[in-house]
Amino acid sequence: TFTPATTTTLDCKMLRAVGMFRIIIEDEIPSEVKKMEITAGETPTQWSFPQHAGITPTDTYSVSWTSYAHGDDGTTTFSIYILGSDTEKHYSVTVSAYGADGSVLKTRTFTDVPIRNNYRTVYTGRFFKDTPFSAAFQVEEDWQEYDAVMY
């Protein structure tokens, strides 16, 4: 409570009333993918205004994209905001890629995803390719040496 006549400045810290789930896809999204969708299970989607407290959970909350941009590093990022709480809660989050005919081309489900208001949970990795690429390099133990020069 403040009175504008006596309090002329306020220094307020605002906290987000949502948590964020972000997935960063490191591999290329195939051209046949026409829609990406993130679905979070058993998440609230609205405030319970009649009770003026709490939130109403639903079976699923989903957000989809039919266009997206790749970052300069080749990654693609998708984020959804979930009405969470001030304490950490765990959700099941499914990310799916769909073709033009609506068929699922690839899906991954992440269980036990921590979500909390004002916190961002980030999952990063290859989404479409299951086999990681690996390379190994070796350097000879001893240096090669030119003839010594006396000066």
Side-chain angles (χ1 to χ4, degrees):
T1 303
F2 72 97
T3 307
T6 57
T7 306
T8 57
T9 21
L10 289 175
D11 186 14
C12 302
K13 180 179 179 180
M14 298 180 72
L15 299 175
R16 292 171 185 86
V18 294
M20 178 195 290
F21 172 80
R22 173 173 285 172
I23 185 166
I24 301 173
I25 297 175
E26 293 181 328
D27 53 345
E28 183 179 347
I29 296 178
S31 60
E32 58 267 16
V33 173
K34 301 303 177 195
K35 180 174 89 169
M36 292 293 296
E37 183 176 75
I38 299 176
T39 302
E42 295 293 322
T43 59
T45 58
Q46 62 187 357
W47 294 101
S48 298
F49 287 114
Q51 292 83 13
H52 297 292
I55 42 186
T56 304
T58 61
D59 289 338
T60 59
Y61 167 64
S62 65
V63 177
S64 60
W65 295 263
T66 55
S67 64
Y68 33 85
H70 306 292
D72 292 338
D73 59 357
T75 63
T76 308
T77 301
F78 300 97
S79 302
I80 66 169
Y81 302 96
I82 298 171
L83 289 173
S85 69
D86 293 335
T87 59
E88 183 178 294
K89 302 215 182 261
H90 294 258
Y91 299 94
S92 176
V93 177
T94 301
V95 182
S96 301
Y98 294 89
D101 61 356
S103 62
V104 176
L105 302 174
K106 184 75 173 186
T107 189
R108 290 191 187 267
T109 298
F110 306 103
T111 58
D112 209 29
V113 176
I115 299 293
R116 181 178 176 183
N117 289 349
N118 208 45
Y119 283 76
R120 176 175 44 214
T121 302
V122 180
Y123 280 45
T124 303
R126 286 179 298 282
F127 184 81
F128 294 96
K129 297 178 182 172
D130 293 324
T131 306
F133 172 78
S134 64
F137 297 92
Q138 288 183 319
V139 176
E140 292 183 21
E141 288 184 34
D142 292 333
W143 282 88
Q144 301 295 319
E145 200 170 292
Y146 285 107
D147 292 337
V149 176
M150 300 300 292
Y151 62 94

